Amino acid sequence: MTLPQLYVVLLVGGLVLLASIAAARTAARLGLPSLLLFLGLGVLVGEDVLGIPFDDAQLAQTLGTTALAVILVEGGLSTRWADVRRLLAPSALLATAGVVISVLVTATGAHYLLGMDWQLALLLGAIVSSTDAAAVFAVLRSLPLPRKLASMVEAESGFNDAPTVILVLVFSASGGLPGPFAIGGQMVYQIATGALIGLGVALVGVVTLRYVALPATGLYPLASFGFGICAFAAAGAANASGIIAAYLSGIVLGNAVLPHRAATRSFAEGAGWLAQIGLFVMLGLLVDPSELLDALLPALVIGAFLLLVARPVSVLLCLVPFRVPWREQAFISWAGLRGAVPIVLTTFPIVAQVPGALDLLHIVFVLVVVFTLIQGPGLLGITRLLGLVRPEEAREVDIESAPLDVLDAELLTVSVPEGSMLHGVEVSELRLPRPAVISLVIRGSSALVPLPESRLYEGDQLLIVATSRTRDEVERRLRAVGRRGRLARWHGESGDPDPRPDRPHKNNGGRGRWRSHRRRSPEPATFTRSEPEEVTGSPSSITTTADAR
């Protein structure tokens, strides 16, 4: 490639990136999943429209798998362990047994409804039975859902890619299919080994980043993300699941007490968006628009069968032991969004030269577009119809911290979100433990030094100086008042960062773990430690610029 050609490539790539960012903003305003516009942009710049040729399935598979690793590391870094740790059992069951059930039911439908031979039917079932992490993370995190419900679907989407990749590779192999015990053994090995490698690499990363001072703030996000990619590559080199390794390493690194976690999450979010944009545009380039019309009817048939039969059956059978109410099961069934993962998986049988694999690519592409358009925008309406969200529920306060080493203290920044019970509370009513003090309240474009009788309002940002000894107590009190108001202790609210859903409150009649309360405790706050960019002055007069969300 000559230098002028490189300039042209970079110009086209930059224009496509900017167009994709504009498409993401447009999609957000219209309430549509942005992946649809990214796919459409890829089709638009493809060979049949603007003339950019791309039909290399091997390259698409390589780049697509790499992009999935980036997306899963980002998903792990932004996942709260407190939200998912009690949901590991149902999420893991949905991601393994649920996938197998969905594959078998979907393959049966494809065989008898579409007349596919069993190999193609099983391939199609395996390809579309995985919920897509990028689509789920992008859509669910913008909805006011109960955290336990959203976290279960997110954890499932992060874990279920590994079993589907294994099944697609098995069904794409030439010769006869191996027995169920051979397939099961391979799945156990790949998932268990991938999990061990991911956890091991992440623990090395935590120790390294906690005790090795890097010369620049921007290196911490790069190092955290680098450990996640190393986990993915190391697991793949061991013939294990790199997808599981990437996601688990991201969870460990994202929930450890490390410097500059807020900056790390911001960097990961940007990298995740870049990977999604590149992945979806590339997949849009890969398809042949002239072949999509013939795939419309098969895609609608198998998509409807998957949405209305296969997915609900797998959810029902997997969640029976956990006594999940039917409302949550209905939501989980509907929220099984498909995105880039199924389209990437179609490149595996194409590379393996399975007869009919190109037809699967077009069927899956149409299925993803149509049913994402149906399921994604309908999620908010489904949650309201099922009574899973209430508009009066308060949102959790968002707290960041930066260390003040001279005073053995930390500067906490607290944002009062819309609907928080902190609204209208006087400073004295917070009853923060001494010597913690609210040093400044930022309201709009002005800043004020609060008095004990000063009231807090939605949108305020508070700067609180707390010693390391009292920090946890300060955070608990802020969470408690943010959830239940100034009489939080009277209502039995202690500000636990990981509230148990089965803990009875005085106003819910002691109902069970999966029942909604009249006012649900909001999602737990995220506490992130970051070094101050600049600290000057004496112990009695400190000026600090801290990382804050």
Side-chain angles (χ1 to χ4, degrees):
M1 179 181 292
T2 63
L3 195 58
Q5 290 174 328
L6 176 63
Y7 292 149
V8 173
V9 171
L10 291 177
L11 177 61
V12 173
L15 291 175
V16 170
L17 177 62
L18 294 176
S20 300
I21 295 173
R25 178 176 176 83
T26 302
R29 287 187 171 184
L30 297 176
L32 298 175
S34 56
L35 67 91
L36 294 179
L37 295 186
F38 297 158
L39 286 172
L41 185 60
V43 174
L44 179 64
V45 300
E47 187 173 8
D48 286 3
V49 184
L50 295 184
I52 297 180
F54 182 77
D55 56 1
D56 191 338
Q58 180 68 67
L59 180 60
Q61 176 184 332
T62 303
L63 296 179
T65 304
T66 304
L68 288 179
V70 173
I71 293 169
L72 286 166
V73 172
E74 185 272 331
L77 287 171
S78 57
T79 296
R80 295 181 178 130
W81 173 243
D83 292 339
V84 303
R85 67 180 181 183
R86 288 190 312 274
L87 304 173
L88 280 180
S91 299
L93 201 58
L94 284 170
T96 52
V99 165
V100 174
I101 295 170
S102 183
V103 168
L104 295 177
V105 176
T106 305
T108 302
H111 178 71
Y112 288 105
L113 296 177
L114 300 180
M116 289 186 175
D117 64 72
W118 277 111
Q119 183 181 15
L120 276 183
L122 287 169
L123 265 174
L124 180 58
I127 288 169
V128 300
S129 291
S130 171
T131 57
D132 183 74
V136 169
F137 294 155
V139 175
L140 262 62
R141 292 178 181 178
S142 64
L143 298 178
L145 290 169
R147 283 307 308 164
K148 64 178 175 61
L149 198 57
S151 297
M152 182 184 297
V153 181
E154 289 178 10
E156 179 202 2
S157 67
F159 290 128
N160 67 7
D161 291 341
T164 52
V165 169
I166 296 169
L167 291 175
V168 169
L169 289 173
V170 168
F171 298 147
S172 299
S174 58
L177 295 176
F181 290 105
I183 297 175
Q186 187 175 356
M187 290 179 64
V188 169
Y189 166 78
Q190 291 207 26
I191 293 173
T193 306
L196 290 175
I197 291 176
L199 293 174
V201 172
L203 291 176
V204 172
V206 169
V207 173
T208 302
L209 295 177
R210 186 175 291 172
Y211 296 108
V212 176
L214 298 179
T217 301
L219 293 178
Y220 285 93
L222 285 174
S224 298
F225 215 87
F227 278 110
I229 298 300
C230 286
F232 171 80
N239 196 28
S241 174
I243 291 176
I244 288 288
Y247 186 58
L248 284 180
S249 65
I251 291 178
V252 174
L253 290 164
N255 288 272
V257 181
L258 297 176
H260 304 291
R261 283 202 323 188
T264 298
R265 285 190 175 123
S266 297
F267 174 81
E269 185 178 9
W273 271 106
L274 183 61
Q276 287 185 56
I277 290 171
L279 177 59
F280 291 130
V281 171
M282 179 192 68
L283 295 175
L285 279 167
L286 186 62
V287 301
D288 184 358
S290 61
E291 301 291 335
L292 297 180
L293 186 59
D294 294 336
L296 180 60
L297 182 59
L300 293 177
V301 171
I302 203 64
F305 189 80
L306 174 66
L307 177 63
L308 302 177
V309 180
R311 174 70 175 173
V313 167
S314 65
V315 170
L316 174 64
L317 294 179
C318 290
L319 297 184
V320 164
F322 304 99
R323 294 183 295 180
V324 180
W326 70 268
R327 295 177 187 272
E328 282 84 354
Q329 291 189 34
F331 173 80
I332 294 170
S333 298
W334 186 270
L337 301 177
R338 272 75 194 169
V341 173
I343 305 177
V344 171
L345 291 179
T346 58
T347 62
F348 287 79
I350 294 176
V351 172
Q353 298 181 345
V354 176
L358 282 175
D359 295 332
L360 289 184
L361 171 64
H362 297 121
I363 291 173
V364 171
F365 186 90
V366 174
L367 185 152
V368 167
V369 171
V370 172
F371 284 89
T372 300
L373 193 59
I374 293 173
Q375 292 174 255
L379 271 176
L380 182 58
I382 290 293
T383 56
R384 289 174 175 170
L385 181 65
L386 295 173
L388 297 176
V389 293
R390 292 188 175 94
E392 72 271 12
E393 289 178 349
R395 295 172 58 192
E396 186 67 281
V397 296
D398 184 19
I399 303 178
E400 297 279 351
S401 69
L404 303 176
D405 296 331
V406 177
L407 298 179
D408 189 26
E410 295 176 350
L411 181 65
L412 304 181
T413 64
V414 182
S415 301
V416 182
E418 181 180 354
S420 174
M421 297 295 288
L422 284 170
H423 177 79
V425 174
E426 294 183 2
V427 170
S428 61
E429 293 174 329
L430 290 176
R431 297 184 179 88
L432 298 180
R434 295 182 178 181
V437 61
I438 299 180
S439 60
L440 196 67
V441 175
I442 302 173
R443 183 171 296 156
S445 58
S446 61
L448 57 94
V449 177
L451 300 174
E453 61 271 17
S454 299
R455 292 184 181 273
L456 306 179
Y457 297 100
E458 294 176 353
D460 285 354
Q461 290 189 340
L462 319 179
L463 300 185
I464 303 176
V465 177
T467 63
S468 300
R469 180 177 57 84
T470 61
R471 172 188 168 180
D472 288 342
E473 189 176 351
V474 169
E475 291 179 353
R476 284 180 173 273
R477 180 59 183 166
L478 290 170
R479 274 191 296 260
V481 178
R483 293 168 181 167
R484 311 286 285 176
R486 54 176 62 85
L487 299 179
R489 290 182 180 175
W490 177 264
H491 291 293
E493 176 59 66
S494 63
D496 189 346
D498 183 20
R500 295 183 179 275
D502 54 351
R503 177 187 299 167
H505 290 287
K506 292 185 177 182
N507 65 346
N508 70 2
R511 290 177 285 181
R513 71 177 288 184
W514 284 101
R515 295 187 181 276
S516 300
H517 306 317
R518 183 175 300 277
R519 182 180 291 277
R520 177 180 59 85
S521 295
E523 59 184 87
T526 302
F527 305 104
T528 301
R529 180 184 299 273
S530 58
E531 298 288 343
E533 295 176 2
E534 179 182 358
V535 179
T536 60
S538 63
S540 59
S541 174
I542 292 182
T543 315
T544 179
T545 303
D547 290 337
R549 223 178 244 188

